[in-house]
Amino acid sequence: MHPSALVGLLAFAAAASAVPAKNHHAHSDPAIKNLKSNIKNVVILVMENRSLDNLLGGQTIKGLENPINNGPFCNPFNLTDPSQGLACSAAKDFDSVLNDPDHAIYGNNFEFFGEFTPDNDAIASGKLVPTQKGFVNEQMRLYSSKVNKTDLATQVMHYYTEEQVPVLTSLVQNYLTFNHWHSDIPGNTDPNRAALVSGTSYGHGLNDAAFSNHGFPQRSIFQQLTETGHSWINYVDPKGGTGPDAGFFNWTYTSGNEDKIQPLANFYTDAAAGELPELTYLNPSCCGVGTTSMHPTGLISDGETLIKGVYDALRAGPQWDDTLFILTFDESGGFHDHVPPPLAPRPDDLTFTLATPNGQNYTFPFNRLGGRIPTLLISPWVSKGYVEQKGTNEHGKTVSYSATSILRTLGYLWDFEPFNPRVKAAASFEHLIRPSHRKNTPSALPDAVAFKKA
Ligand SMILES: *[C@@H]1O[C@H](CO)[C@@H](O)[C@H](O)[C@H]1NC(C)=O
Ligand SMILES: *[C@@H]1O[C@H](CO)[C@@H](O)[C@H](O)[C@H]1NC(C)=O
Ligand SMILES: *[C@@H]1O[C@H](CO)[C@@H](O)[C@H](O)[C@H]1NC(C)=O
Ligand SMILES: *[C@@H]1O[C@H](CO)[C@@H](O)[C@H](O)[C@H]1NC(C)=O
C-alpha cells in the first residue's frame, strides 16, 4: 500500500458506519474482489445536458446538496448591473425548455466565472475560483431580446419537484445517488462522451465532424474489452442525435467491430433473453421534442419514460441479479448548479482554442471538471436510498467523482490499467457495491408524467 493511503484509511475508519460495504474502501483488495464476484453485467445510460441542481433539485433525500435542501440559490440578472435584481432557484421547471442554455466552453466559463476568458493560471493556482453566478446573465445575453425574462430565468434556475420526475424520485429513494459527480469537461456533449468512454476528448472541445467521421485514435473501453475477451454492445436510439459513442473511435471500424453498434430495440430483446453483453452502453436520442435524452427541447417526461423502460427491462430480465446499471449525464447543459467544479489532472498535453463572444480566443487546457450532474448506481448490490458524498483517489485523498470514475472502476472489474493520468487520479466506486444482495428492489418504476412546457 502507498504510505499516503494510510491517511485515507484512517479517514475511512471514522466514517465507516456510513459506508455501504463495511470494511470496504475505494481501491482496496476486498472491495475489488467483492465487485468482481458480484457484478457480471454493467449497463451505462448517458442522458443529456442537465445539472444536479436542475434535475434533482427537488429531491428531499438527506445528504443531497440541492436547492430544496440547501437553497434557494440566486444569480443576478446582470452581473455588471445589480439594479436588475436576482433570479433564484424555486420549485417547478418546464417539461421542455425551449431556449437551450449556453454550454460551450466559453458559456461554461461565463456561467462559472462570470467571464468568457478567465485567467487559466489563476484558476490552476486556486486564486480564481468559480462563483456559479453567471447562468442567468448568459441566458439573458442569448435570448432576452425575444423571450420573457422571467421564463428565461426559470429555465436555468428552477428545479424539478419529486412529483414532476417520479421515475428519478423512485430511483433516488431506492438506490444510490452521487452528491459530487461532475462532467469531465465544461463543454459540449461529444467531448464529454468521448471522455467518459476513453478518458479524454483528445483535444476536442466542440461537437465537430471528427466524432461522426470515426476520427479518434485513442484507446476506448470498447477496444479494451474486445482485446481482453470481454463482450460489449452499444445500443443506439435510431432517432439519433447522440453518438453512437463507440463510433467516435477509428478502431471500432478498422477492427471490424461496427456490428456491435445496434438499434435500441435489440437491447430490450437481449435483456428479456438474458443475452446482454458484459458492457451494455446506451445512447438516447437527442435533442428536440420527441427525443429521449432530456436535452432541451426534448421533454423531461420522455427521458423519464426511457429510463423506466431500461430499468423495467433489466429488472424483469434473468441477468438482474448480476447487474450494475449506471445512470448518468454527459454534462450540465448550462443549467445552474451551485457547486463549483474542481480542478483535475490533465489527461494528455492537448489543448483546445475557440473564439468567444467577446472577440478574444480562449485556450482550454482540460485541467478542470465541468458542472455537477446527476449520477446513480442502480443494482440489487447497492444500498437503498443512499447518498454518496465525495470519493477517494488511489492515494487516499478526498476528491469529487467524475465521468472518468467509471473507467477507473471498470478497470478494477475487468483488469485494465487507467488509460491516462486523468483516469488514474479518479475516485473509484467499487466499495459502494455491498457484499450482500437486496431482495427489496422495486419490480417496476412508476410512469412518467407530462407537465407544463415553455
Ligand atoms: C448588463 O448591463 C450592462 C451595463 O448596463 C449592459 O451593457 C449589458 O448589455 C447588460 N447585459 C445583458 C445581458 O443584458
Ligand atoms: C413574463 O411571464 C410571467 C409568467 O411566466 C408573467 O407573470 C409576466 O407578466 C411576463 N412578463 C411580460 C413582460 O410579459
Ligand atoms: C478512420 O477509419 C476509416 C476507415 O473506416 C478511414 O477511412 C479513415 O481515414 C480513418 N480516419 C482517421 C482520422 O484515422
Ligand atoms: C484566434 O485564433 C484564430 C485561429 O488561430 C486566429 O486566426 C485569430 O487571429 C485569433 N484571434 C485573436 C483575437 O487572437
Side-chain angles (χ1 to χ4, degrees):
M1 183 188 297
H2 191 283
S4 62
L6 195 57
V7 178
L9 256 183
L10 293 175
F12 164 79
S17 60
V19 172
K22 202 160 166 280
N23 299 328
H24 288 181
H25 55 97
H27 311 279
S28 76
D29 290 343
I32 294 166
K33 192 161 168 263
N34 181 62
L35 171 78
K36 288 166 77 90
S37 58
N38 294 321
I39 301 299
K40 307 292 176 215
N41 301 90
V42 176
V43 178
I44 303 175
L45 171 58
V46 187
M47 305 290 281
E48 283 280 324
N49 289 46
R50 295 283 173 171
S51 68
L52 193 149
D53 275 355
N54 175 245
L55 192 61
L56 300 184
Q59 298 295 323
T60 54
I61 194 168
K62 202 162 162 273
L64 201 60
E65 289 171 52
N66 65 9
I68 204 164
N69 288 335
N70 308 85
F73 304 114
C74 304
N75 268 198
F77 275 90
N78 187 317
L79 282 167
T80 51
D81 180 7
S83 73
Q84 293 184 24
L86 295 174
C88 298
S89 58
K92 294 195 180 165
D93 203 340
F94 302 116
D95 199 356
S96 172
V97 166
L98 295 185
N99 308 103
D100 191 9
D102 196 349
H103 43 265
I105 287 177
Y106 59 71
N108 277 280
N109 280 347
F110 197 93
E111 289 151 4
F112 299 164
F113 295 97
E115 50 185 316
F116 292 118
T117 50
D119 180 338
N120 284 337
D121 293 337
I123 295 170
S125 68
K127 289 199 186 96
L128 182 60
V129 294
T131 60
Q132 309 298 96
K133 295 286 190 210
F135 290 85
V136 174
N137 192 148
E138 185 58 355
Q139 192 74 342
M140 295 301 147
R141 183 184 73 82
L142 288 178
Y143 303 112
S144 66
S145 64
K146 38 187 199 292
V147 183
N148 178 317
K149 291 185 183 178
T150 310
D151 288 348
L152 288 174
T154 296
Q155 289 172 353
V156 295
M157 293 303 293
H158 280 218
Y159 56 82
Y160 296 94
T161 62
E162 290 180 336
E163 294 72 29
Q164 286 182 317
V165 289
V167 172
L168 287 165
T169 300
S170 178
L171 289 172
V172 167
Q173 290 174 355
N174 283 288
Y175 296 102
L176 184 150
T177 307
F178 288 92
N179 189 29
H180 287 279
W181 186 290
H182 291 258
S183 83
D184 242 60
I185 297 167
N188 295 115
T189 191
D190 288 341
N192 274 294
R193 289 174 169 278
L196 194 152
V197 295
S198 73
T200 175
S201 67
Y202 208 71
H204 292 247
L206 290 173
N207 300 339
D208 59 48
F211 291 95
S212 42
N213 293 342
H214 332 308
F216 287 77
Q218 75 271 27
R219 172 169 291 264
S220 68
I221 180 70
F222 309 107
Q223 177 178 0
Q224 178 64 41
L225 292 189
T226 295
E227 290 182 357
T228 52
H230 295 285
S231 56
W232 61 274
I233 294 177
N234 181 182
Y235 300 95
V236 185
D237 186 325
K239 281 191 199 134
T242 74
D245 296 359
F248 298 158
F249 304 96
N250 214 257
W251 170 87
T252 303
Y253 297 84
T254 55
S255 66
N257 280 286
E258 65 267 37
D259 63 338
K260 297 190 176 63
I261 297 173
Q262 298 184 10
L264 185 61
N266 292 12
F267 162 76
Y268 295 102
T269 50
D270 289 350
E275 288 173 1
L276 289 174
E278 289 168 279
L279 176 65
T280 292
Y281 190 90
L282 299 164
N283 274 102
S285 59
C286 189
C287 304
V289 171
T291 60
T292 56
S293 71
M294 297 190 176
H295 186 287
T297 56
L299 272 62
I300 288 293
S301 53
D302 286 341
E304 285 234 314
T305 298
L306 172 68
I307 294 168
K308 171 184 166 59
V310 170
Y311 174 90
D312 289 0
L314 294 171
R315 179 66 180 79
Q319 290 165 290
W320 171 248
D321 285 350
D322 307 317
T323 295
L324 171 62
F325 173 23
I326 304 170
L327 173 63
T328 187
F329 281 73
D330 65 330
E331 40 112 350
S332 49
F335 292 96
H336 179 263
D337 192 275
H338 76 284
V339 176
L343 295 167
R346 299 179 65 190
D348 40 43
D349 60 3
L350 300 166
T351 61
F352 173 74
T353 300
L354 84 171
T356 72
N358 70 8
Q360 291 172 315
N361 286 339
Y362 177 73
T363 296
F364 182 57
F366 297 95
N367 65 344
R368 57 183 187 269
L369 301 178
R372 202 169 55 133
I373 47 181
T375 298
L376 288 90
L377 300 183
I378 299 155
S379 169
W381 297 97
V382 301
S383 301
K384 178 180 161 76
Y386 187 79
V387 178
E388 166 71 350
Q389 299 300 324
K390 289 182 179 172
T392 48
N393 68 14
E394 62 178 350
H395 302 303
K397 189 176 167 221
T398 300
V399 293
S400 297
Y401 290 95
S402 76
T404 39
S405 294
I406 295 175
L407 281 179
R408 194 70 174 90
T409 306
L410 296 186
Y412 286 133
L413 179 60
W414 291 317
D415 305 298
F416 62 88
E417 293 299 312
F419 294 162
N420 62 42
R422 170 70 66 88
V423 181
K424 189 163 164 53
S428 61
F429 51 82
E430 67 283 354
H431 60 296
L432 301 177
I433 301 301
R434 290 152 43 108
S436 62
H437 171 250
R438 280 170 55 198
K439 304 276 181 231
N440 61 347
T441 57
S443 56
L445 297 178
D447 287 329
V449 293
F451 49 99
K452 186 170 183 271
K453 305 179 184 66

